[in-house]
Amino acid sequence: MNQNLLELEERRESFFMFAYKPKSLLLSLPKRISNSQLSPPLSSLPPRPSIPQTKQAHAQIIVSGLAADSPLISHLLCFLALSPSTPFHYSLSLYQSIKYPSVFATNNMIRCFAKSDSPPQSLLLFSSMLRTCVKPNNHTFTFLLQACSRALALNEGAQVHTVAVKLGFGGYVFVRNALIHLYCSCSRIECSKRLFEENASSRDVVTWNSMLTAFLRDEQIGAAEKLFEEMPERDVISWSTMISGNVQNGRLEEGLECFKQMREKGMRLNEATLVSVLSASAQLGLLEHGRLVHSLVESLNFPLTVSLGTALIDMYAKCGCIEQSKLLFKNMPKKDIWTWNVMICGLASHGLGKEALALFQRFIDEGFHPVNVTFIGVLGACSRAGLVSEGRRHFKLMTEKYSILPEMEHYGCMVDMLGRAGFLDEAVQLIEKMTVPPDPVLWATLLGACKIHGSIELGEKIGKKLLKLDPTHDGHYVQLASIYAKARKWEDVIRVRRLLVEQNTNKAAGWSLIEAQGTVHKFVAGDREHERSLEIYKMLEKIGTRIAESGYSPNVSSVLHDIGEEEKENAIKEHSERLAMAFGLLVTGAGDCIRIVKNLRVCEDCHEVSKIISKVFEREIIVRDGSRFHHFKDGKCSCLDYW
């Protein structure tokens, strides 16, 4: 009976153990095995007993005088091995109380070691097992290899592989799956591939899923797609792995398309899939899609776990609905440190600096310990809201109280904060005092501040430094040329742009996205490829007329071409966000909010135009640019013109 129960459980765990998300390991005992078939002290336990319930059963065993009953103690150990949070020392004490541990008991203790903070201990137990002449079985090697995978113990795993083959267990499908996973975890993809290919008859859906995961983790997208198409059977983990892999490799649109196909196939959804799709929706700023996923969560009665709740908060924040994020955060039954971090960073990105700092204080008051990401959110909040003194204080707090060494992102927030506030010399001093060499991004951030404050001399100095540090980056040439253009130094503009051409690099194209009626529409400056292009340009003319009547005058100081004023005005009015805005006015109803995602920082003229459009057309316009969110309403912006 004991061995049958173990085999059923091990088959079930082996099927799920290589899912893309660890949560898939939270399994339950097979319902067809009734606990009434077990001995009386265990028969009253539920199929998945909690730790306190298991300990109560243990107490009953002791009171009943059965503490020396090895099968009963072995079953208790089995329950603990299957628990998502195994109390390691208690498990070990149970195992050590068994006078002559069977392979069943030893396998479960190996499993407990594999899930503990010391997975290599599994190997010591296995060595002891061999010395006591207890014969291992195929399940023994499955759990040993799982321990090696967790510890990234490649050499030890290879030795276990050798022993498994020597003892005749190398052909078992669960052992082979564990080996594929081991080599994948240790970045030995060719070894995983060789194991996968050497015995085509010894594969199940987990084998295919494990190899799929291996390719995706190694960023072999083409190989993963080919394998996915060849799979004789796909389960929910196959689809979830493919979606997660695409999203984690930055292929957001492909991940969403895969999710669409998964739903069309009628596959059930799991939490890992939903979290991945919410991440893609968040990064692309696709509110409608994110809301669809939220509605699926509610209709399928998914519990609002920490992972799912955090993903929803992040999605709404990155799609411009910060109030919805705040509501979800308030109502979440349980939060972890990442939930707080996401909310702090979300508030920061919307320019709600004081709210972000207040939330950080609550975070501290509730006993959480901040990590480096926490302070990226806090310092980012200070930067976007112009809270210079608060930023200085929290930077000092981070280093002196919490002993967190500043990383490039922290320095970036500080340089951005000081630069935008006009403390250019202090920003330079901070960079020069860094304990690590500054990267070009820091200098580029300061160069942008020089443009804002018209600091031509410092900007020229930094610009020349950047061209030496990273001569192939087009953005540095553009920034420097923009500074010259703002000062109307056209000869210098031409000189810098000539250098840009000589380096054989071009300015990165700006684009803007807008989601409408379930479809994502992408625009670039001067775009005429859209199917409704004629209507869009007619709307642009209408916009131009209406905003001119309101007193708008184009600001063409940043246009980098030594051309006529009329051409400059035409160049600006065809910026990608203007086209997206015109399209939004065409396809949305009166009073509806227009939401736009832009890859680059919005220019001064487009920022001013967006304010006027929001007032003239009585629309709220939310733009997420490369730096922050801008909420335009009634002729004003949430950034208060500080960006």
Side-chain angles (χ1 to χ4, degrees):
M1 174 61 66
N2 294 344
Q3 187 63 28
N4 289 340
L5 178 61
L6 176 65
E7 291 208 9
L8 283 167
E9 270 309 292
E10 288 168 346
R11 284 178 178 274
R12 183 171 172 85
E13 177 151 318
S14 295
F15 184 79
F16 287 103
M17 68 185 290
F18 303 119
Y20 221 69
K21 293 289 180 181
K23 299 254 182 195
S24 299
L25 298 178
L26 307 185
L27 312 171
S28 59
L29 286 166
K31 292 184 179 178
R32 58 186 176 185
I33 298 294
S34 170
N35 280 351
S36 63
Q37 296 175 271
L38 301 176
S39 300
L42 303 181
S43 60
S44 60
L45 286 175
R48 188 63 176 219
S50 65
I51 301 301
Q53 288 171 328
T54 303
K55 288 184 175 180
Q56 284 180 349
H58 187 196
Q60 291 176 12
I61 289 172
I62 294 171
V63 170
S64 302
L66 300 172
D69 189 319
S70 296
L72 281 177
I73 301 301
S74 296
H75 264 96
L76 283 177
L77 197 58
C78 178
F79 286 130
L80 292 173
L82 293 169
S83 172
S85 56
T86 304
F88 169 70
H89 292 292
Y90 177 50
S91 304
L92 186 59
S93 68
L94 279 178
Y95 180 74
Q96 291 173 338
S97 73
I98 302 173
K99 190 171 183 179
Y100 299 108
S102 65
V103 65
F104 173 76
T106 305
N107 281 350
N108 278 296
M109 193 61 231
I110 287 174
R111 184 190 288 188
C112 289
F113 273 125
K115 294 165 66 176
S116 74
D117 293 331
S118 303
Q121 294 293 325
S122 296
L123 297 168
L124 297 177
L125 181 57
F126 175 64
S127 178
S128 173
M129 176 186 187
L130 295 178
R131 287 197 302 271
T132 55
C133 299
V134 177
K135 291 184 178 181
N137 59 22
N138 59 316
H139 305 300
T140 310
F141 290 98
T142 301
F143 303 138
L144 277 173
L145 292 166
Q146 183 182 358
C148 292
S149 296
R150 283 202 62 212
L152 300 179
L154 177 62
N155 292 334
E156 292 82 352
Q159 291 175 41
V160 173
H161 185 180
T162 302
V163 176
V165 172
K166 183 178 179 181
L167 296 181
F169 297 114
Y172 281 82
V173 67
F174 300 137
V175 175
R176 288 167 53 76
N177 292 346
L179 282 166
I180 290 172
H181 181 64
L182 165 71
Y183 290 121
C184 165
S185 299
C186 297
S187 301
R188 295 294 190 272
I189 307 304
E190 288 306 312
C191 294
S192 295
K193 187 177 178 182
R194 190 159 54 246
L195 274 164
F196 178 80
E197 292 176 343
E198 72 182 13
N199 191 348
S201 62
S202 181
R203 295 175 184 165
D204 62 7
V205 69
V206 180
T207 317
W208 288 85
N209 288 343
S210 299
M211 197 62 234
L212 188 64
T213 301
F215 281 137
L216 289 167
R217 284 183 179 172
D218 198 47
E219 299 183 10
Q220 296 187 35
I221 306 298
E225 289 179 331
K226 185 174 182 293
L227 188 75
F228 187 71
E229 291 300 321
E230 293 172 354
M231 289 182 72
E233 176 191 357
R234 299 174 191 158
D235 63 3
V236 62
I237 296 173
S238 314
W239 286 95
S240 179
T241 299
M242 199 65 200
I243 292 167
S244 301
N246 272 307
V247 173
Q248 291 171 11
N249 281 288
R251 291 161 50 90
L252 307 178
E253 293 90 344
E254 289 81 358
L256 295 182
E257 178 59 30
C258 193
F259 175 67
K260 179 183 176 184
Q261 293 176 18
M262 179 184 183
R263 292 188 64 215
E264 289 172 351
K265 296 285 185 182
M267 299 295 298
R268 67 180 178 87
L269 304 176
N270 61 13
E271 183 177 311
T273 304
L274 295 169
V275 169
S276 294
V277 174
L278 284 168
S279 174
S281 302
Q283 292 179 64
L284 290 170
L286 303 181
L287 179 62
E288 290 179 29
H289 201 282
R291 280 177 172 161
L292 167 66
V293 178
H294 193 178
S295 69
L296 289 172
V297 170
E298 293 178 336
S299 64
L300 295 172
N301 294 317
F302 271 89
L304 195 63
T305 61
V306 171
S307 296
L308 201 50
T310 302
L312 281 166
I313 290 169
D314 187 48
M315 182 275 293
Y316 279 115
K318 287 179 178 173
C319 290
C321 298
I322 193 64
E323 293 302 321
Q324 183 66 33
S325 290
K326 288 157 70 173
L327 183 62
L328 276 165
F329 182 83
K330 178 183 177 182
N331 293 332
M332 268 187 71
K334 186 179 179 182
K335 309 176 185 74
D336 67 6
I337 185 173
W338 305 113
T339 315
W340 287 85
N341 286 339
V342 163
M343 193 68 246
I344 290 169
C345 290
L347 291 168
S349 69
H350 285 266
L352 302 172
K354 292 183 179 179
E355 284 190 48
L357 295 182
L359 188 64
F360 173 70
Q361 189 57 53
R362 277 181 54 200
F363 170 86
I364 298 299
D365 292 343
E366 295 207 14
F368 287 97
H369 193 284
V371 293
N372 55 2
V373 176
T374 315
F375 278 102
I376 289 173
V378 169
L379 296 175
C382 295
S383 172
R384 293 184 181 96
L387 303 173
V388 178
S389 60
E390 287 292 322
R392 291 177 180 134
R393 184 173 72 83
H394 282 90
F395 187 74
K396 187 176 180 181
L397 187 73
M398 176 183 78
T399 55
E400 295 184 2
K401 181 174 181 178
Y402 294 105
S403 302
I404 296 174
L405 292 176
E407 297 179 2
M408 209 60 73
E409 291 87 345
H410 301 108
Y411 284 116
C413 291
M414 289 298 292
V415 169
D416 185 51
M417 178 191 74
L418 294 170
R420 282 200 283 169
F423 296 96
L424 300 178
D425 291 337
E426 186 179 344
V428 171
Q429 290 171 15
L430 179 65
I431 293 175
E432 291 175 343
K433 290 179 181 177
M434 284 172 58
T435 55
V436 293
D439 65 7
V441 175
L442 280 182
W443 289 114
T445 301
L446 192 53
L447 183 61
C450 291
K451 175 188 170 184
I452 293 171
H453 296 287
S455 182
I456 307 300
E457 185 177 343
L458 180 60
E460 187 172 25
K461 181 180 176 182
I462 294 172
K464 289 178 179 178
K465 180 190 290 286
L466 277 168
L467 298 190
K468 288 181 180 179
L469 285 172
D470 192 2
T472 62
H473 193 290
D474 58 271
H476 307 328
Y477 296 89
V478 174
Q479 281 275 54
L480 182 55
S482 182
I483 288 175
Y484 286 135
K486 195 168 184 179
R488 307 187 74 80
K489 299 176 70 172
W490 298 112
E491 288 184 5
D492 289 317
V493 171
I494 293 169
R495 177 176 56 80
V496 172
R497 290 184 65 80
R498 188 177 293 125
L499 286 173
L500 182 90
V501 173
E502 289 172 359
Q503 285 294 332
N504 197 27
T505 182
N506 295 305
K507 182 179 181 296
W511 51 256
S512 294
L513 300 179
I514 182 170
E515 188 181 17
Q517 300 163 347
T519 304
V520 179
H521 302 264
K522 185 175 184 178
F523 295 93
V524 296
D527 200 334
R528 294 182 184 272
E529 298 297 318
H530 196 277
E531 60 183 11
R532 299 185 66 176
S533 184
L534 288 175
E535 296 174 81
I536 290 169
Y537 276 87
K538 284 182 180 178
M539 178 57 75
L540 273 182
E541 291 177 10
K542 182 179 179 181
I543 291 172
T545 301
R546 295 279 298 275
I547 62 177
E549 291 171 353
S550 297
Y552 161 72
S553 177
N555 178 357
V556 296
S557 62
S558 62
V559 178
L560 303 185
H561 305 283
D562 188 13
I563 57 178
E565 293 297 312
E566 185 177 346
E567 291 176 87
K568 291 179 184 179
E569 291 176 17
N570 287 334
I572 281 183
K573 77 177 185 182
E574 293 182 5
H575 279 184
S576 64
E577 61 265 48
R578 304 263 192 111
L579 296 173
M581 223 170 286
F583 179 70
L585 289 170
L586 281 174
V587 298
T588 58
D592 288 351
C593 179
I594 297 173
R595 301 173 188 274
I596 295 168
V597 176
K598 180 176 169 60
N599 66 326
L600 302 178
R601 183 177 177 272
V602 64
C603 75
E604 293 177 38
D605 189 71
C606 287
H607 189 269
E608 186 63 28
V609 165
S610 299
K611 289 195 296 183
I612 299 172
I613 290 175
S614 72
K615 182 176 182 180
V616 171
F617 288 85
E618 298 181 344
R619 294 291 195 100
E620 181 180 6
I621 302 168
I622 299 177
V623 177
R624 187 181 96 187
D625 71 2
S627 172
R628 61 175 296 156
F629 275 92
H630 299 268
H631 294 252
F632 300 100
K633 191 174 182 180
D634 299 327
K636 298 177 183 178
C637 181
S638 59
C639 74
L640 302 177
D641 297 337
Y642 185 83
W643 88 103

